Amino acid sequence: KIVLASSSETRVNILKKYIDSFLVKPHKINENSFKTDRQPRKIVNELAKNKALSIKNDYPNCMIIGSDQILICDRKILSKPKTLKEGKQNLLFLRNKNHRLFSSIYILHNDECLYSRTTSALLFFRNVLEKEINAYISENQKTVLSTVGSYKIEENHKHNFIKVIRGDKETILGFPIKDLGIFFTFTFFLGRATC
C-alpha cells in the first residue's frame, strides 16, 4: 500500500496522475519548528522526511510519501499565514521581487528511505497595486491561507501576478514527482531503490 502523508488537494490530484490507488493521511508534525536558519534545501528535505516518519507507526509495511515546500524571499522563509492580514503582508512583501520555491519528496518504507528528491524554482512577483492585492484576497481567501506564497500558480492566468523565471510546474506546485514513474518501475521490477 502507498500512503500520502498530506492533506493537500493539489498533491492528491498530482499523485492520481501517477498512481491509481493510495491512502491519504495528514502528517503529524509542527512545520514551523523545522524552519530555522539552516539551508533551505535541508529544511524542506527534513520536513518531507519527518512528515513521512510521523505516520509510519499507523501504517507499518506501507510505502509512505512525505512532501513539503518552502518559499524564500530576501533570505526570509514565508510560511502559510494564519490570518488574512498576515497573507496580505506576505503578498506585499513579495511585490517586485524574485523568490525561490524549494520542493521536496521523500518516500519511506520500514524506516528506510527509498527515494528522495529536492528541486527549486525561481519566480518573480510583479509590482501589483495594493488595491489589486486587496481585491485578490477578498476573492481568494482559501488560497491565501492555504499556500506558502498565498497564491496558486494554476490560477495565475486570472491574476497575472507571477512570472516563472525557471523551474517546472510540479516544483512550483510543491510536489516534484515527475520521475516517480521511473522510481516505481525500478523498485517493483528491478529491485529496491535507496537514497
PDB file of all heavy atoms in Angstrom, residues 91-99 123-130 132-133 151 156 158-164:
ATOM      1  N   LEU A  91       2.062  38.988   0.708  1.00  0.00           N
ATOM      2  CA  LEU A  91       1.924  39.390  -0.689  1.00  0.00           C
ATOM      3  C   LEU A  91       2.581  40.742  -0.956  1.00  0.00           C
ATOM      4  O   LEU A  91       3.240  40.931  -1.982  1.00  0.00           O
ATOM      5  CB  LEU A  91       0.441  39.423  -1.073  1.00  0.00           C
ATOM      6  CG  LEU A  91      -0.237  38.050  -1.161  1.00  0.00           C
ATOM      7  CD1 LEU A  91      -1.753  38.204  -1.209  1.00  0.00           C
ATOM      8  CD2 LEU A  91       0.262  37.260  -2.358  1.00  0.00           C
ATOM      9  N   LEU A  92       2.412  41.668  -0.037  1.00  0.00           N
ATOM     10  CA  LEU A  92       3.067  42.970  -0.184  1.00  0.00           C
ATOM     11  C   LEU A  92       4.585  42.830  -0.126  1.00  0.00           C
ATOM     12  O   LEU A  92       5.317  43.531  -0.835  1.00  0.00           O
ATOM     13  CB  LEU A  92       2.583  43.937   0.910  1.00  0.00           C
ATOM     14  CG  LEU A  92       1.128  44.411   0.805  1.00  0.00           C
ATOM     15  CD1 LEU A  92       0.741  45.227   2.030  1.00  0.00           C
ATOM     16  CD2 LEU A  92       0.911  45.233  -0.464  1.00  0.00           C
ATOM     17  N   PHE A  93       5.057  41.916   0.702  1.00  0.00           N
ATOM     18  CA  PHE A  93       6.496  41.670   0.830  1.00  0.00           C
ATOM     19  C   PHE A  93       7.080  41.098  -0.465  1.00  0.00           C
ATOM     20  O   PHE A  93       8.210  41.413  -0.853  1.00  0.00           O
ATOM     21  CB  PHE A  93       6.748  40.703   1.996  1.00  0.00           C
ATOM     22  CG  PHE A  93       8.191  40.346   2.200  1.00  0.00           C
ATOM     23  CD1 PHE A  93       9.090  41.267   2.715  1.00  0.00           C
ATOM     24  CD2 PHE A  93       8.654  39.082   1.878  1.00  0.00           C
ATOM     25  CE1 PHE A  93      10.428  40.935   2.901  1.00  0.00           C
ATOM     26  CE2 PHE A  93       9.990  38.734   2.062  1.00  0.00           C
ATOM     27  CZ  PHE A  93      10.877  39.667   2.580  1.00  0.00           C
ATOM     28  N   LEU A  94       6.311  40.273  -1.172  1.00  0.00           N
ATOM     29  CA  LEU A  94       6.787  39.638  -2.399  1.00  0.00           C
ATOM     30  C   LEU A  94       6.816  40.588  -3.595  1.00  0.00           C
ATOM     31  O   LEU A  94       7.523  40.332  -4.573  1.00  0.00           O
ATOM     32  CB  LEU A  94       5.895  38.446  -2.749  1.00  0.00           C
ATOM     33  CG  LEU A  94       5.995  37.208  -1.858  1.00  0.00           C
ATOM     34  CD1 LEU A  94       4.912  36.201  -2.240  1.00  0.00           C
ATOM     35  CD2 LEU A  94       7.364  36.566  -1.963  1.00  0.00           C
ATOM     36  N   ARG A  95       6.070  41.680  -3.522  1.00  0.00           N
ATOM     37  CA  ARG A  95       5.935  42.574  -4.669  1.00  0.00           C
ATOM     38  C   ARG A  95       7.281  43.034  -5.227  1.00  0.00           C
ATOM     39  O   ARG A  95       8.167  43.449  -4.484  1.00  0.00           O
ATOM     40  CB  ARG A  95       5.136  43.828  -4.295  1.00  0.00           C
ATOM     41  CG  ARG A  95       3.665  43.643  -4.226  1.00  0.00           C
ATOM     42  CD  ARG A  95       2.926  44.952  -4.171  1.00  0.00           C
ATOM     43  NE  ARG A  95       3.404  45.848  -3.118  1.00  0.00           N
ATOM     44  CZ  ARG A  95       2.915  47.068  -2.903  1.00  0.00           C
ATOM     45  NH1 ARG A  95       1.948  47.532  -3.656  1.00  0.00           N
ATOM     46  NH2 ARG A  95       3.385  47.810  -1.928  1.00  0.00           N
ATOM     47  N   ASN A  96       7.375  42.952  -6.566  1.00  0.00           N
ATOM     48  CA  ASN A  96       8.533  43.446  -7.299  1.00  0.00           C
ATOM     49  C   ASN A  96       9.834  42.751  -6.902  1.00  0.00           C
ATOM     50  O   ASN A  96      10.909  43.341  -6.946  1.00  0.00           O
ATOM     51  CB  ASN A  96       8.679  44.962  -7.114  1.00  0.00           C
ATOM     52  CG  ASN A  96       9.437  45.608  -8.269  1.00  0.00           C
ATOM     53  OD1 ASN A  96       9.349  45.164  -9.404  1.00  0.00           O
ATOM     54  ND2 ASN A  96      10.193  46.641  -7.963  1.00  0.00           N
ATOM     55  N   LYS A  97       9.724  41.476  -6.495  1.00  0.00           N
ATOM     56  CA  LYS A  97      10.908  40.729  -6.068  1.00  0.00           C
ATOM     57  C   LYS A  97      10.905  39.334  -6.679  1.00  0.00           C
ATOM     58  O   LYS A  97       9.849  38.761  -6.960  1.00  0.00           O
ATOM     59  CB  LYS A  97      10.931  40.571  -4.542  1.00  0.00           C
ATOM     60  CG  LYS A  97      11.089  41.860  -3.761  1.00  0.00           C
ATOM     61  CD  LYS A  97      10.989  41.568  -2.271  1.00  0.00           C
ATOM     62  CE  LYS A  97      11.019  42.851  -1.460  1.00  0.00           C
ATOM     63  NZ  LYS A  97      10.725  42.574  -0.033  1.00  0.00           N
ATOM     64  N   ASN A  98      12.112  38.798  -6.820  1.00  0.00           N
ATOM     65  CA  ASN A  98      12.250  37.381  -7.110  1.00  0.00           C
ATOM     66  C   ASN A  98      12.061  36.598  -5.819  1.00  0.00           C
ATOM     67  O   ASN A  98      12.392  37.081  -4.729  1.00  0.00           O
ATOM     68  CB  ASN A  98      13.649  37.062  -7.653  1.00  0.00           C
ATOM     69  CG  ASN A  98      13.838  37.549  -9.079  1.00  0.00           C
ATOM     70  OD1 ASN A  98      12.881  37.781  -9.807  1.00  0.00           O
ATOM     71  ND2 ASN A  98      15.088  37.709  -9.485  1.00  0.00           N
ATOM     72  N   HIS A  99      11.531  35.398  -5.926  1.00  0.00           N
ATOM     73  CA  HIS A  99      11.503  34.495  -4.788  1.00  0.00           C
ATOM     74  C   HIS A  99      11.730  33.082  -5.293  1.00  0.00           C
ATOM     75  O   HIS A  99      11.545  32.788  -6.465  1.00  0.00           O
ATOM     76  CB  HIS A  99      10.182  34.603  -4.005  1.00  0.00           C
ATOM     77  CG  HIS A  99       8.955  34.283  -4.780  1.00  0.00           C
ATOM     78  ND1 HIS A  99       8.361  35.177  -5.646  1.00  0.00           N
ATOM     79  CD2 HIS A  99       8.194  33.161  -4.823  1.00  0.00           C
ATOM     80  CE1 HIS A  99       7.287  34.626  -6.184  1.00  0.00           C
ATOM     81  NE2 HIS A  99       7.161  33.392  -5.712  1.00  0.00           N
ATOM     82  N   LEU A 123      10.908  32.503  -9.266  1.00  0.00           N
ATOM     83  CA  LEU A 123       9.755  33.240  -9.786  1.00  0.00           C
ATOM     84  C   LEU A 123       9.873  34.722  -9.446  1.00  0.00           C
ATOM     85  O   LEU A 123      10.592  35.101  -8.510  1.00  0.00           O
ATOM     86  CB  LEU A 123       8.455  32.681  -9.198  1.00  0.00           C
ATOM     87  CG  LEU A 123       8.161  31.209  -9.462  1.00  0.00           C
ATOM     88  CD1 LEU A 123       8.668  30.356  -8.303  1.00  0.00           C
ATOM     89  CD2 LEU A 123       6.680  30.970  -9.644  1.00  0.00           C
ATOM     90  N   PHE A 124       9.157  35.527 -10.212  1.00  0.00           N
ATOM     91  CA  PHE A 124       9.109  36.967  -9.962  1.00  0.00           C
ATOM     92  C   PHE A 124       7.657  37.363  -9.722  1.00  0.00           C
ATOM     93  O   PHE A 124       6.759  36.984 -10.475  1.00  0.00           O
ATOM     94  CB  PHE A 124       9.652  37.744 -11.160  1.00  0.00           C
ATOM     95  CG  PHE A 124       9.548  39.237 -11.026  1.00  0.00           C
ATOM     96  CD1 PHE A 124      10.415  39.939 -10.205  1.00  0.00           C
ATOM     97  CD2 PHE A 124       8.571  39.940 -11.718  1.00  0.00           C
ATOM     98  CE1 PHE A 124      10.304  41.321 -10.073  1.00  0.00           C
ATOM     99  CE2 PHE A 124       8.454  41.316 -11.597  1.00  0.00           C
ATOM    100  CZ  PHE A 124       9.330  42.013 -10.764  1.00  0.00           C
ATOM    101  N   PHE A 125       7.437  38.111  -8.644  1.00  0.00           N
ATOM    102  CA  PHE A 125       6.103  38.624  -8.313  1.00  0.00           C
ATOM    103  C   PHE A 125       6.062  40.084  -8.778  1.00  0.00           C
ATOM    104  O   PHE A 125       6.811  40.927  -8.275  1.00  0.00           O
ATOM    105  CB  PHE A 125       5.871  38.533  -6.807  1.00  0.00           C
ATOM    106  CG  PHE A 125       4.435  38.647  -6.382  1.00  0.00           C
ATOM    107  CD1 PHE A 125       3.725  37.528  -5.989  1.00  0.00           C
ATOM    108  CD2 PHE A 125       3.784  39.877  -6.378  1.00  0.00           C
ATOM    109  CE1 PHE A 125       2.393  37.621  -5.592  1.00  0.00           C
ATOM    110  CE2 PHE A 125       2.453  39.987  -5.986  1.00  0.00           C
ATOM    111  CZ  PHE A 125       1.764  38.854  -5.593  1.00  0.00           C
ATOM    112  N   ARG A 126       5.199  40.365  -9.736  1.00  0.00           N
ATOM    113  CA  ARG A 126       5.223  41.707 -10.323  1.00  0.00           C
ATOM    114  C   ARG A 126       4.763  42.771  -9.334  1.00  0.00           C
ATOM    115  O   ARG A 126       4.143  42.470  -8.307  1.00  0.00           O
ATOM    116  CB  ARG A 126       4.406  41.750 -11.619  1.00  0.00           C
ATOM    117  CG  ARG A 126       2.925  41.682 -11.474  1.00  0.00           C
ATOM    118  CD  ARG A 126       2.258  41.737 -12.860  1.00  0.00           C
ATOM    119  NE  ARG A 126       0.813  41.699 -12.761  1.00  0.00           N
ATOM    120  CZ  ARG A 126       0.040  42.779 -12.584  1.00  0.00           C
ATOM    121  NH1 ARG A 126       0.587  43.975 -12.485  1.00  0.00           N
ATOM    122  NH2 ARG A 126      -1.276  42.646 -12.501  1.00  0.00           N
ATOM    123  N   ASN A 127       5.038  44.008  -9.648  1.00  0.00           N
ATOM    124  CA  ASN A 127       4.772  45.123  -8.738  1.00  0.00           C
ATOM    125  C   ASN A 127       3.302  45.543  -8.834  1.00  0.00           C
ATOM    126  O   ASN A 127       2.964  46.589  -9.382  1.00  0.00           O
ATOM    127  CB  ASN A 127       5.702  46.286  -9.077  1.00  0.00           C
ATOM    128  CG  ASN A 127       5.712  47.332  -7.986  1.00  0.00           C
ATOM    129  OD1 ASN A 127       5.317  47.075  -6.845  1.00  0.00           O
ATOM    130  ND2 ASN A 127       6.179  48.521  -8.316  1.00  0.00           N
ATOM    131  N   VAL A 128       2.437  44.715  -8.273  1.00  0.00           N
ATOM    132  CA  VAL A 128       0.998  44.974  -8.351  1.00  0.00           C
ATOM    133  C   VAL A 128       0.587  46.048  -7.354  1.00  0.00           C
ATOM    134  O   VAL A 128       1.246  46.266  -6.333  1.00  0.00           O
ATOM    135  CB  VAL A 128       0.185  43.683  -8.097  1.00  0.00           C
ATOM    136  CG1 VAL A 128       0.523  42.640  -9.132  1.00  0.00           C
ATOM    137  CG2 VAL A 128       0.429  43.147  -6.699  1.00  0.00           C
ATOM    138  N   LEU A 129      -0.504  46.711  -7.644  1.00  0.00           N
ATOM    139  CA  LEU A 129      -1.016  47.743  -6.741  1.00  0.00           C
ATOM    140  C   LEU A 129      -1.633  47.107  -5.502  1.00  0.00           C
ATOM    141  O   LEU A 129      -2.152  45.984  -5.553  1.00  0.00           O
ATOM    142  CB  LEU A 129      -2.070  48.588  -7.454  1.00  0.00           C
ATOM    143  CG  LEU A 129      -1.597  49.368  -8.689  1.00  0.00           C
ATOM    144  CD1 LEU A 129      -2.795  50.031  -9.370  1.00  0.00           C
ATOM    145  CD2 LEU A 129      -0.556  50.412  -8.304  1.00  0.00           C
ATOM    146  N   GLU A 130      -1.619  47.826  -4.402  1.00  0.00           N
ATOM    147  CA  GLU A 130      -2.192  47.307  -3.162  1.00  0.00           C
ATOM    148  C   GLU A 130      -3.681  47.028  -3.331  1.00  0.00           C
ATOM    149  O   GLU A 130      -4.203  46.051  -2.791  1.00  0.00           O
ATOM    150  CB  GLU A 130      -1.960  48.277  -2.009  1.00  0.00           C
ATOM    151  CG  GLU A 130      -2.419  47.716  -0.667  1.00  0.00           C
ATOM    152  CD  GLU A 130      -1.994  48.571   0.513  1.00  0.00           C
ATOM    153  OE1 GLU A 130      -1.214  49.532   0.323  1.00  0.00           O
ATOM    154  OE2 GLU A 130      -2.456  48.289   1.638  1.00  0.00           O
ATOM    155  N   GLU A 132      -5.115  45.902  -5.960  1.00  0.00           N
ATOM    156  CA  GLU A 132      -5.225  44.619  -6.644  1.00  0.00           C
ATOM    157  C   GLU A 132      -5.072  43.473  -5.649  1.00  0.00           C
ATOM    158  O   GLU A 132      -5.785  42.464  -5.724  1.00  0.00           O
ATOM    159  CB  GLU A 132      -4.152  44.493  -7.730  1.00  0.00           C
ATOM    160  CG  GLU A 132      -4.344  45.399  -8.931  1.00  0.00           C
ATOM    161  CD  GLU A 132      -3.244  45.193  -9.962  1.00  0.00           C
ATOM    162  OE1 GLU A 132      -3.353  44.228 -10.757  1.00  0.00           O
ATOM    163  OE2 GLU A 132      -2.281  45.971  -9.967  1.00  0.00           O
ATOM    164  N   ILE A 133      -4.136  43.629  -4.730  1.00  0.00           N
ATOM    165  CA  ILE A 133      -3.927  42.607  -3.703  1.00  0.00           C
ATOM    166  C   ILE A 133      -5.150  42.511  -2.803  1.00  0.00           C
ATOM    167  O   ILE A 133      -5.601  41.421  -2.453  1.00  0.00           O
ATOM    168  CB  ILE A 133      -2.648  42.904  -2.892  1.00  0.00           C
ATOM    169  CG1 ILE A 133      -1.416  42.622  -3.764  1.00  0.00           C
ATOM    170  CG2 ILE A 133      -2.601  42.080  -1.605  1.00  0.00           C
ATOM    171  CD1 ILE A 133      -0.093  42.914  -3.122  1.00  0.00           C
ATOM    172  N   TYR A 151      -0.649  32.386  -3.048  1.00  0.00           N
ATOM    173  CA  TYR A 151      -1.148  32.338  -4.420  1.00  0.00           C
ATOM    174  C   TYR A 151      -1.012  30.909  -4.937  1.00  0.00           C
ATOM    175  O   TYR A 151      -0.263  30.099  -4.393  1.00  0.00           O
ATOM    176  CB  TYR A 151      -0.377  33.289  -5.335  1.00  0.00           C
ATOM    177  CG  TYR A 151       1.065  32.905  -5.565  1.00  0.00           C
ATOM    178  CD1 TYR A 151       1.416  31.945  -6.513  1.00  0.00           C
ATOM    179  CD2 TYR A 151       2.086  33.487  -4.828  1.00  0.00           C
ATOM    180  CE1 TYR A 151       2.735  31.573  -6.720  1.00  0.00           C
ATOM    181  CE2 TYR A 151       3.413  33.117  -5.016  1.00  0.00           C
ATOM    182  CZ  TYR A 151       3.722  32.164  -5.969  1.00  0.00           C
ATOM    183  OH  TYR A 151       5.038  31.796  -6.162  1.00  0.00           O
ATOM    184  N   ASN A 156      -2.758  31.686 -11.969  1.00  0.00           N
ATOM    185  CA  ASN A 156      -2.037  32.891 -12.379  1.00  0.00           C
ATOM    186  C   ASN A 156      -2.581  33.503 -13.663  1.00  0.00           C
ATOM    187  O   ASN A 156      -2.468  34.708 -13.877  1.00  0.00           O
ATOM    188  CB  ASN A 156      -0.545  32.585 -12.535  1.00  0.00           C
ATOM    189  CG  ASN A 156       0.294  33.834 -12.647  1.00  0.00           C
ATOM    190  OD1 ASN A 156       0.148  34.756 -11.846  1.00  0.00           O
ATOM    191  ND2 ASN A 156       1.168  33.878 -13.633  1.00  0.00           N
ATOM    192  N   LYS A 158      -5.488  34.124 -14.299  1.00  0.00           N
ATOM    193  CA  LYS A 158      -6.557  35.070 -13.946  1.00  0.00           C
ATOM    194  C   LYS A 158      -6.009  36.368 -13.361  1.00  0.00           C
ATOM    195  O   LYS A 158      -6.600  37.433 -13.530  1.00  0.00           O
ATOM    196  CB  LYS A 158      -7.506  34.429 -12.929  1.00  0.00           C
ATOM    197  CG  LYS A 158      -8.350  33.310 -13.482  1.00  0.00           C
ATOM    198  CD  LYS A 158      -9.418  32.890 -12.490  1.00  0.00           C
ATOM    199  CE  LYS A 158      -8.855  31.957 -11.453  1.00  0.00           C
ATOM    200  NZ  LYS A 158      -9.898  31.439 -10.522  1.00  0.00           N
ATOM    201  N   HIS A 159      -4.859  36.271 -12.669  1.00  0.00           N
ATOM    202  CA  HIS A 159      -4.370  37.428 -11.913  1.00  0.00           C
ATOM    203  C   HIS A 159      -3.066  38.003 -12.451  1.00  0.00           C
ATOM    204  O   HIS A 159      -2.780  39.182 -12.238  1.00  0.00           O
ATOM    205  CB  HIS A 159      -4.175  37.036 -10.447  1.00  0.00           C
ATOM    206  CG  HIS A 159      -5.363  36.346  -9.860  1.00  0.00           C
ATOM    207  ND1 HIS A 159      -6.537  37.013  -9.588  1.00  0.00           N
ATOM    208  CD2 HIS A 159      -5.575  35.049  -9.519  1.00  0.00           C
ATOM    209  CE1 HIS A 159      -7.413  36.154  -9.094  1.00  0.00           C
ATOM    210  NE2 HIS A 159      -6.863  34.964  -9.045  1.00  0.00           N
ATOM    211  N   ASN A 160      -2.282  37.180 -13.138  1.00  0.00           N
ATOM    212  CA  ASN A 160      -1.029  37.614 -13.745  1.00  0.00           C
ATOM    213  C   ASN A 160      -0.086  38.280 -12.738  1.00  0.00           C
ATOM    214  O   ASN A 160       0.515  39.303 -13.013  1.00  0.00           O
ATOM    215  CB  ASN A 160      -1.306  38.565 -14.924  1.00  0.00           C
ATOM    216  CG  ASN A 160      -0.087  38.783 -15.786  1.00  0.00           C
ATOM    217  OD1 ASN A 160       0.771  37.909 -15.896  1.00  0.00           O
ATOM    218  ND2 ASN A 160       0.012  39.958 -16.376  1.00  0.00           N
ATOM    219  N   PHE A 161       0.030  37.672 -11.559  1.00  0.00           N
ATOM    220  CA  PHE A 161       0.954  38.190 -10.546  1.00  0.00           C
ATOM    221  C   PHE A 161       2.373  37.662 -10.758  1.00  0.00           C
ATOM    222  O   PHE A 161       3.343  38.327 -10.415  1.00  0.00           O
ATOM    223  CB  PHE A 161       0.511  37.760  -9.141  1.00  0.00           C
ATOM    224  CG  PHE A 161      -0.711  38.465  -8.613  1.00  0.00           C
ATOM    225  CD1 PHE A 161      -1.327  38.011  -7.454  1.00  0.00           C
ATOM    226  CD2 PHE A 161      -1.240  39.574  -9.235  1.00  0.00           C
ATOM    227  CE1 PHE A 161      -2.443  38.648  -6.944  1.00  0.00           C
ATOM    228  CE2 PHE A 161      -2.361  40.221  -8.744  1.00  0.00           C
ATOM    229  CZ  PHE A 161      -2.968  39.751  -7.583  1.00  0.00           C
ATOM    230  N   ILE A 162       2.490  36.451 -11.300  1.00  0.00           N
ATOM    231  CA  ILE A 162       3.748  35.704 -11.253  1.00  0.00           C
ATOM    232  C   ILE A 162       4.345  35.498 -12.634  1.00  0.00           C
ATOM    233  O   ILE A 162       3.641  35.169 -13.590  1.00  0.00           O
ATOM    234  CB  ILE A 162       3.509  34.311 -10.615  1.00  0.00           C
ATOM    235  CG1 ILE A 162       2.868  34.442  -9.231  1.00  0.00           C
ATOM    236  CG2 ILE A 162       4.813  33.506 -10.544  1.00  0.00           C
ATOM    237  CD1 ILE A 162       3.692  35.177  -8.215  1.00  0.00           C
ATOM    238  N   LYS A 163       5.656  35.659 -12.711  1.00  0.00           N
ATOM    239  CA  LYS A 163       6.412  35.279 -13.904  1.00  0.00           C
ATOM    240  C   LYS A 163       7.378  34.179 -13.485  1.00  0.00           C
ATOM    241  O   LYS A 163       8.152  34.348 -12.536  1.00  0.00           O
ATOM    242  CB  LYS A 163       7.195  36.470 -14.461  1.00  0.00           C
ATOM    243  CG  LYS A 163       8.055  36.091 -15.672  1.00  0.00           C
ATOM    244  CD  LYS A 163       8.874  37.283 -16.154  1.00  0.00           C
ATOM    245  CE  LYS A 163       9.762  36.874 -17.325  1.00  0.00           C
ATOM    246  NZ  LYS A 163      10.626  38.001 -17.773  1.00  0.00           N
ATOM    247  N   VAL A 164       7.319  33.046 -14.174  1.00  0.00           N
ATOM    248  CA  VAL A 164       8.232  31.942 -13.885  1.00  0.00           C
ATOM    249  C   VAL A 164       9.539  32.185 -14.620  1.00  0.00           C
ATOM    250  O   VAL A 164       9.569  32.267 -15.853  1.00  0.00           O
ATOM    251  CB  VAL A 164       7.627  30.585 -14.309  1.00  0.00           C
ATOM    252  CG1 VAL A 164       8.627  29.460 -14.053  1.00  0.00           C
ATOM    253  CG2 VAL A 164       6.318  30.326 -13.579  1.00  0.00           C
TER     254      VAL A 164
END
